[in-house]
């Protein structure tokens, strides 16, 4: 797991891989214009997931995580984050819950231009920005 963007003022951790990592970086830039700081993480491998880094990120951002997946919600990134999040509730976050907002493809897949499909399925930077704002309210 690699932390791509971080600061001491990060409010939410965003976990994305592949194309959704690039969307997370766009969201980082958009949110920075509003002085909202996020931590962007590339898991680059799910098995094994780097629990320590994920826990550290969750703790640093008040237990708020957004996962962004470019496929059906088959529980790959989301489940790994939730499992670690559950451990964080029991230990590292001392009773504070980890809130995970999941973005994933929920419709029937189809062909199209990349940007159009990211928008259609709600996994582009605009939806990441929206999810982050919902978590920090």
């Amino acid at each position: 797991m690699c932390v791509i963007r971080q600061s001491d003022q990060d409010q939410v951790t965003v976990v994305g891989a592949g194309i959704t990592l690039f969307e997370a970086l766009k969201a980082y830039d958009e949110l920075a214009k509003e002085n909202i700081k996020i931590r962007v993480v590339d898991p680059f491998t799910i098995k094994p997931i780097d629990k320590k880094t994920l826990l550290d990120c969750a703790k640093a951002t008040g237990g708020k995580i957004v996962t962004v997946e470019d496929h059906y919600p088959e529980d790959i990134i989301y489940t790994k984050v939730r499992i670690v999040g559950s451990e964080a509730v029991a230990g590292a976050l001392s009773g504070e819950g980890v809130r995970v907002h999941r973005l994933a493809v929920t419709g029937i897949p189809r062909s199209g231009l990349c940007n159009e499909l990211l928008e259609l399925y709600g996994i582009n930077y605009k939806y990441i920005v929206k999810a982050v704002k919902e978590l920090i309210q």
Side-chain angles (χ1 to χ4, degrees):
M1 184 167 291
C2 183
V3 179
I4 305 296
R5 299 279 190 279
Q6 72 178 352
S7 76
D8 292 337
Q9 295 84 36
D10 295 337
Q11 297 174 276
V12 176
T13 296
V14 177
V15 182
I19 189 68
T20 62
L21 175 63
F22 293 102
E23 293 300 309
L25 292 171
K26 289 179 193 175
Y28 175 93
D29 292 337
E30 286 299 310
L31 289 162
K33 293 174 186 176
E34 299 180 48
N35 203 31
I36 298 171
K37 306 291 185 190
I38 63 171
R39 187 161 298 196
V40 179
V41 177
D42 178 4
F44 66 80
T45 180
I46 300 300
K47 293 180 180 178
I49 196 150
D50 182 349
K51 291 181 182 181
K52 181 187 181 319
T53 298
L54 194 53
L55 281 171
D56 290 346
C57 290
K59 188 186 296 186
T61 59
K64 295 180 287 294
I65 298 175
V66 174
T67 62
V68 191
E69 303 182 57
D70 63 349
H71 48 78
Y72 283 135
E74 295 294 328
D75 297 335
I76 295 173
I77 294 175
Y78 178 79
T79 295
K80 292 291 184 181
V81 170
R82 286 300 304 156
I83 289 168
V84 173
S86 296
E87 292 173 8
V89 171
L93 295 180
S94 301
E96 292 184 22
V98 175
R99 294 172 48 200
V100 181
H101 185 101
R102 170 195 235 166
L103 299 175
V105 175
T106 57
I108 297 172
R110 59 183 56 156
S111 298
L113 298 173
C114 182
N115 288 337
E116 291 173 355
L117 295 174
L118 291 168
E119 175 82 25
L120 177 66
Y121 296 117
I123 57 172
N124 70 357
Y125 77 95
K126 295 175 192 174
Y127 288 91
I128 298 170
V129 166
K130 181 180 176 190
V132 166
K133 288 180 176 182
E134 287 174 5
L135 281 174
I136 63 175
Q137 288 183 356

